[in-house]
């Protein structure tokens, strides 16, 4: 068929009236509707600071995610009875009806080889793998009774951050910046820092905006090279020329925003302007060489390097400069025991050596600067680890654990959480929660509450329904609140 005939078949009467000579149909329709037309949409910055539903305990969040999930039974959840039964077959009642990622048959129980003691006024149990955190135990609010629905990494991580195990929902950081905006117009409201060279298991969905306007997605920054990819001017373009080009783009976008009223157009205007301002502000904030030698030593940070220690220091600098939500992802916490680096003895000691010191330094630094009370620190993985040896490595000399969703440990610090406090209990072997279960949705509701939000009211309408981070679940765990 002739291409012109093809095109004519697709045209509707509305298309014809719009596109005929002089656009008479469009002119007539505009004249008829002019008096009822709504005001032109405003191209205001969608990241302007906003008020939460009620007075907040926390103004900002620093989330430390240990990708792969650390072995809770070797760090925080001490089980002396499990130690006594090490090497014994796992009782059937603990396995019946359950699926595991890499274990089948009857596995052998595995008590921790680590040494435990109680620290701080609250007597928080902690192992010898995290000696620096011993010194800040009185700032931690440890949750032993976390529970999730997922036992594989990507779905569990997505559930933790988006409220759904499937891609497409906004992340926690996006919800927070959507609800609160940003306190610094020259920096993103939501910044992501990734160490150990690997993206999170959920990919960019773990810090994406889903169906929220894309201005609320996490901006990934790097501690080596350009802090933000593609934000620098191309060769041959100076700052004045960049300003002129952005002015032209802004004018064109404002015309489209006036005609169509699409929210993503206003997002584009805001993002272009933010990127222009970031060219000056981000390199300055990301330059940790401005810190004192004492501060660098406290974190174990090194200017020019790419490390979790550097990212913890950068998190403090970003929070100090008004960034609302800082997300750190650190790869390498999947302790199956498939190689010496995944052994819960020496391997865990080495991996914790990259995390323990900078996290303790971050807590002390924020407290010394008077920021800890208004900064909520969250620490943890996407699920826990089994009380028995991982099936594939059970016959070897390397000790590892499989994925385990039924109970695991996370902790909060600052931002209105109780200090030096342990919450929830698991059974004597670490298989199930026996008191005060905290589901992922409960933790999400509690985080939003500390930021001043009723999680049932922080919603966004999409495809005909109001969505929220906690889906249709979740209760605030008020026992965790100071």
């Amino acid at each position: 068929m002739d291409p012109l005939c093809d095109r004519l078949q697709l045209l509707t009467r509305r298309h014809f009236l719009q596109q005929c000579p002089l656009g008479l149909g469009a002119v007539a329709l505009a004249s008829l509707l002019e008096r009822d037309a709504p005001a032109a949409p405003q191209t205001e910055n969608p990241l302007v600071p906003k008020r939460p539903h009620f007075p907040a305990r926390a103004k900002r969040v620093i989330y430390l995610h240990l990708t792969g999930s650390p072995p809770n039974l070797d760090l925080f959840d001490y089980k002396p009875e499990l130690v006594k039964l090490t090497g014994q077959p796992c009782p059937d009642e603990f396995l019946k009806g359950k699926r595991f990622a890499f274990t089948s048959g009857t596995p052998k129980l595995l008590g921790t080889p680590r040494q435990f003691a109680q620290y701080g006024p609250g007597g928080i149990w902690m192992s010898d793998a995290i000696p620096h955190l011993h010194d800040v135990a009185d700032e931690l609010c440890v949750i032993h009774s976390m529970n999730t629905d997922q036992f594989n990494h990507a779905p569990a991580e997505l559930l933790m951050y988006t409220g759904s195990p499937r891609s497409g929902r906004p992340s926690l950081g996006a919800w927070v910046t959507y609800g609160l905006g940003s306190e610094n117009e020259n920096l993103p409201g939501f910044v992501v820092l990734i160490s150990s060279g690997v993206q999170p298991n959920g990919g960019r969905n773990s810090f994406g905006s889903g169906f929220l306007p894309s201005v609320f997605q996490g901006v990934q920054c790097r501690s080596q090279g350009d802090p933000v990819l593609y934000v620098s001017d191309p060769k041959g373009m100076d700052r004045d020329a960049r300003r002129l080009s952005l002015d032209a783009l802004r004018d064109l976008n404002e015309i489209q925003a006036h005609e169509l009223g699409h929210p993503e157009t206003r997002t584009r205007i805001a993002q272009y302007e933010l990127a222009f301002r970031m060219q000056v502000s981000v390199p300055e904030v990301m330059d940790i060489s401005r810190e004192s030698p004492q501060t660098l030593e406290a974190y174990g940070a090194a200017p020019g390097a790419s490390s979790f220690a550097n990212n913890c220091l950068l998190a403090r600098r970003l929070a100090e400069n008004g960034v609302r939500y800082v997300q750190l992802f650190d790869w390498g916490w999947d302790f199956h025991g498939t190689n010496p680096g995944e052994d819960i003895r020496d391997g865990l000691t080495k991996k914790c050596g990259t995390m323990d010191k900078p996290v303790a330094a971050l807590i002390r630094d924020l407290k010394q600067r008077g920021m800890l009370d208004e900064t909520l620190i969250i620490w943890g993985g996407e699920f826990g680890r089994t009380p028995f040896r991982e099936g594939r490595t059970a016959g070897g000399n390397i000790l590892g654990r499989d994925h385990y969703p039924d109970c695991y440990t996370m902790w909060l610090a600052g931002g209105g959480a109780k200090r030096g406090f342990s919450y929830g209990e698991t059974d004597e072997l670490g298989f199930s929660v026996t008191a005060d279960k905290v589901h992922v949705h409960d933790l999400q509701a509690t985080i939003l509450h500390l930021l001043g939000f009723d999680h049932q009211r922080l919603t966004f309408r999409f495809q005909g329904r109001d969505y929220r981070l906690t889906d249709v679940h979740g209760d605030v765990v008020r026992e965790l609140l100071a």
Side-chain angles (χ1 to χ4, degrees), residues 50-130:
K50 307 178 185 73
R51 291 184 179 180
H53 298 144
F54 48 81
R57 308 282 190 96
K59 290 185 177 180
R60 64 193 74 87
V61 173
I62 297 175
Y63 198 130
L64 312 172
H65 186 83
L66 279 54
T67 303
S69 297
N72 50 299
L73 294 167
D74 304 297
L75 296 177
F76 289 100
D77 202 3
Y78 183 42
K79 299 297 177 187
E81 187 62 26
L82 183 61
V83 173
K84 295 178 186 177
L85 296 175
T86 292
Q88 298 297 313
C90 182
D92 288 341
E93 62 264 27
F94 294 121
L95 302 175
K96 196 173 297 183
K98 295 184 179 180
R99 293 186 298 163
F100 302 99
F102 299 101
T103 303
S104 59
T106 302
K108 300 293 179 64
L109 294 173
L110 176 60
T112 183
R114 316 296 317 197
Q115 297 299 310
F116 271 75
Q118 290 179 283
Y119 297 91
I124 295 175
W125 285 101
M126 302 169 78
S127 84
D128 57 353
I130 44 177

Side-chain angles (χ1 to χ4, degrees), residues 98 100 383-387 402-408 430-432:
K98 295 184 179 180
F100 302 99
F383 44 54
R385 316 299 299 197
T386 54
D402 207 345
H403 307 171
Y404 198 62
D406 289 8
C407 49
Y408 61 107
F431 274 96
S432 61

Side-chain angles (χ1 to χ4, degrees), residues 143-208:
I143 309 168
H144 292 293
S145 51
M146 286 299 304
N147 171 262
T148 182
D149 305 331
Q150 303 297 320
F151 68 91
N152 279 324
H153 294 293
E157 189 175 291
L158 290 173
L159 180 63
M160 176 63 72
Y161 285 108
T162 73
S164 169
R166 291 169 290 280
S167 302
R169 299 283 186 90
S171 62
L172 173 58
W175 279 112
V176 171
T177 48
Y178 163 67
L180 291 177
S182 178
E183 294 181 319
N184 187 332
E185 65 177 9
N186 298 323
L187 292 170
F190 177 13
V191 171
V192 179
L193 301 168
I194 295 175
S195 51
S196 301
V198 180
Q199 292 283 324
N201 286 304
R204 294 182 179 274
N205 290 288
S206 293
F207 53 90

Side-chain angles (χ1 to χ4, degrees), residues 36-49:
D36 298 321
Q42 299 297 310
T43 56
E44 64 182 21
N45 181 6
L47 287 174
V48 293

Side-chain angles (χ1 to χ4, degrees), residues 17 28 43 117 174 179 185 207 229 237 263 271 342 356 387 414 423 436:
L17 289 172
T43 56
E185 65 177 9
F207 53 90
L229 291 175
M237 175 175 280
Q271 286 176 321
E342 295 178 5
D356 176 46
Y423 182 77
D436 305 318

